[in-house]
Amino acid sequence: ALANIIMASEIFKSPVLHIGAEDLSSDPQMHLESEGWNVIHWPLYKAVETQDLSEHVIRDIKKGELELALLYSARAAQNFVKLIKRYELEEFCSKLTVIGLSQAIIDELSDLTFKATIASDKPTEADLVQKVIETAPTAGGINDTQERRNAHC
């Protein structure tokens, strides 16, 4: 999706600096390069996969108090599914809405059944936030969720 946006928005095939993780998926880069683009990858950080869920996240999922999860990458979605299964939380996913930055991310969740899975229309944080705003009332509402969080303090 990102490669298509770049190709559609540029008239000339000028070099593209792709800043991201050290172990970045090369699919968008390969797609652009196959179309004649020069893509320069500049790693700024290394993504480290978490091996555990915190006790409060497990508790909130089981109680149905965690209503919305945001996923920014397919690898994050894969790890999320792995952790849900590891902690045997599959039955509690039916109360959880997941919003992903793209449909490819949402596709990684197919092993589990969620209340809803929603992909951003565009792979931008602004669009992801818009989906959160649109979804929040159906996930219990922003104010209701905040009131429950405050009650736990």
Side-chain angles (χ1 to χ4, degrees):
L2 180 59
N4 291 334
I5 290 171
I6 292 170
M7 289 187 302
S9 66
E10 296 291 329
I11 297 171
F12 302 103
K13 294 181 180 178
S14 57
V16 174
L17 179 61
H18 190 206
I19 301 170
E22 181 178 297
D23 55 349
L24 187 66
S25 168
S26 63
D27 292 344
Q29 181 174 345
M30 290 184 344
H31 186 144
L32 286 168
E33 288 175 345
S34 72
E35 295 292 324
W37 291 74
N38 177 21
V39 180
I40 303 161
H41 176 63
W42 184 19
L44 280 176
Y45 63 93
K46 181 173 183 161
V48 179
E49 185 176 283
T50 186
Q51 301 299 313
D52 298 297
L53 290 174
S54 66
E55 289 181 30
H56 77 274
V57 169
I58 294 168
R59 181 190 65 236
D60 287 353
I61 290 173
K62 285 182 176 180
K63 288 182 173 182
E65 292 180 357
L66 184 65
E67 300 172 4
L68 189 61
L70 305 180
L71 295 172
Y72 285 79
S73 74
R75 275 184 265 180
Q78 292 163 0
N79 193 42
F80 184 65
V81 169
K82 182 173 73 174
L83 290 170
I84 291 291
K85 289 179 178 183
R86 177 177 173 199
Y87 288 96
E88 299 177 349
L89 299 170
E90 296 94 332
E91 70 183 275
F92 304 102
C93 290
S94 63
K95 298 177 183 177
L96 183 62
T97 296
V98 180
I99 301 176
L101 199 57
S102 70
Q103 186 59 47
I105 293 167
I106 297 301
D107 291 345
E108 294 294 338
L109 305 173
S110 63
D111 286 356
L112 300 174
T113 303
F114 293 94
K115 179 178 179 180
T117 54
I118 303 165
S120 293
D121 295 327
K122 300 174 192 167
T124 65
E125 191 161 27
D127 197 66
L128 187 80
V129 169
Q130 183 59 41
K131 292 295 182 190
V132 170
I133 292 167
E134 292 169 4
T135 304
T138 62
I142 292 173
N143 292 333
D144 180 48
T145 302
Q146 187 61 46
E147 287 171 16
R148 275 187 278 145
R149 245 187 230 123
N150 291 340
H152 291 310
C153 297

